[in-house]
Amino acid sequence: MRKILSLVILIAFFSCKNSEKENNLNQKETELTQKENDLESKTKELEVKEQILKLNSEVKNNIIHCENKKFTIKVDNLKNGDLRYISWNKPKSTSDEPNLILYDGKVERQGTGGGFHYIFKSGEWNYIIENNFMGETAESMGIFLKLLNNGKQKLYSKMTDLTTEKDYDLKSYSKSNLIGNWWTSNYAVRKVRFNENGTFLFENGEGKSFKGTFEMYNKSVNLKFNNGLDKVLKIGGGYDNTSLTLTGGGENFVKEWKE
């Protein structure tokens, strides 16, 4: 009887030892797996950082930087002359891996209204960024994202312009800052002349001129064209001997030009 009891005790002892060893082994395997996952995650982070650095190094200048509730989008001129579309799905930031990169973009100028459409293709999809300088209402001006599938519109969304510039603005502006001649060179020379009597002459760079009246509220200059169109510009600059500027929808006028 004593022999049987001793045997049972020995079996139980070695069973506990084996169980303890197995638990230790499982714990070590878990720790090893966690270390492998951490290493893989860090490797992925480094790869993403290298990708972002490479993508940024290709850029000659940024044309569009915008966002809506779903996407952050950039359109860039590249050093090799290509036009690139790059986007991130929210909540990703531009320091994360992009969700979509498209090359070989095309630019279409939008007639007398002023503005440019940047068009990119991916299979049956067209990704179009509209930069509308003029429109019938203020809401119709600005940056828009349009998605087409086999020519059918699937999305049309107004975007928030994320372009940031160093602040050279004066504390306040008056009508005297506005009166005079302004110009911009963007594919063609567009000119605006503001007169003391509250009228203006807008030249679109294609040989056509448009007249209207203007009103100034702080930094905003509201142009009301005689043909019914409206255009809102923002006056800025002038600080520290910098040029006065008028910007709106991606357009940039500088004071002053001489005939």
Side-chain angles (χ1 to χ4, degrees):
M1 184 68 179
R2 288 181 178 178
K3 290 182 179 180
I4 295 174
L5 182 59
S6 298
L7 182 60
V8 170
I9 292 173
L10 284 173
I11 292 173
F13 174 78
F14 284 111
S15 177
C16 289
K17 284 291 185 179
N18 290 335
S19 178
E20 183 179 350
K21 288 182 179 179
E22 185 176 348
N23 289 336
N24 289 337
L25 182 60
N26 289 337
Q27 183 177 354
K28 288 181 179 180
E29 288 180 350
T30 301
E31 291 175 354
L32 181 60
T33 300
Q34 183 62 46
K35 288 181 180 180
E36 289 176 347
N37 290 338
D38 291 343
L39 180 59
E40 184 178 348
S41 178
K42 289 181 180 179
T43 301
K44 179 64 175 178
E45 288 179 7
L46 289 174
E47 289 176 351
V48 170
K49 287 181 180 179
E50 289 179 358
Q51 181 189 23
I52 296 300
L53 286 173
K54 182 178 182 298
L55 290 171
N56 290 338
S57 69
E58 296 173 347
V59 177
K60 179 180 179 181
N61 65 286
N62 174 251
I63 302 173
I64 300 288
H65 185 190
C66 60
E67 70 173 0
N68 61 11
K69 293 181 179 179
K70 293 184 177 181
F71 310 109
T72 300
I73 298 172
K74 285 185 175 183
V75 176
D76 298 314
N77 267 328
L78 303 186
K79 295 175 182 177
N80 64 3
D82 201 354
L83 190 66
R84 184 183 70 194
Y85 174 105
I86 183 169
S87 70
W88 295 261
N89 296 346
K90 296 290 187 71
K92 281 187 174 182
S93 72
T94 55
S95 61
D96 295 319
E97 183 178 13
N99 293 95
L100 180 63
I101 303 176
L102 301 175
Y103 293 90
D104 299 322
K106 307 298 180 185
V107 183
E108 289 185 358
R109 183 174 181 180
Q110 300 306 299
T112 59
F116 300 90
H117 291 182
Y118 304 93
I119 303 170
F120 301 83
K121 292 188 176 184
S122 177
E124 298 175 347
W125 288 88
N126 277 11
Y127 295 76
I128 303 171
I129 296 294
E130 298 181 359
N131 194 5
N132 299 325
F133 298 162
M134 298 180 67
E136 295 183 358
T137 64
E139 187 62 26
S140 65
M141 294 182 284
I143 300 174
F144 296 82
L145 168 64
K146 180 189 289 185
L147 299 183
L148 303 178
N149 181 256
N150 284 325
K152 295 182 179 180
Q153 182 171 301
K154 297 297 183 179
L155 176 69
Y156 192 71
S157 172
K158 187 162 188 176
M159 310 294 286
T160 300
D161 193 348
L162 297 180
T163 303
T164 57
E165 298 179 358
K166 190 173 181 180
D167 187 8
Y168 286 106
D169 289 358
L170 300 174
K171 291 183 178 180
S172 62
Y173 295 90
S174 65
K175 187 177 178 180
S176 62
N177 295 123
L178 189 63
I179 301 305
N181 301 319
W182 302 71
W183 66 274
T184 182
S185 54
N186 193 352
Y187 288 86
V189 177
R190 301 159 69 81
K191 303 176 183 178
V192 184
R193 183 199 305 273
F194 294 96
N195 304 311
E196 289 280 359
N197 62 0
T199 63
F200 69 85
L201 177 67
F202 184 97
E203 298 181 33
N204 71 349
E206 296 179 343
K208 293 185 179 181
S209 300
F210 303 89
K211 295 181 179 181
T213 59
F214 68 89
E215 295 177 341
M216 188 174 182
Y217 304 96
N218 297 321
K219 294 183 179 181
S220 294
V221 181
N222 188 8
L223 279 62
K224 294 185 177 295
F225 289 79
N226 292 342
N227 61 9
L229 294 177
D230 287 348
K231 185 177 181 68
V232 179
L233 300 175
K234 178 183 176 182
I235 189 170
Y239 177 74
D240 196 21
N241 295 320
T242 58
S243 299
L244 287 167
T245 62
L246 277 174
T247 59
E251 193 162 44
N252 193 338
F253 289 92
V254 180
K255 192 181 182 180
E256 79 185 44
W257 56 272
K258 295 182 180 181
E259 296 178 320

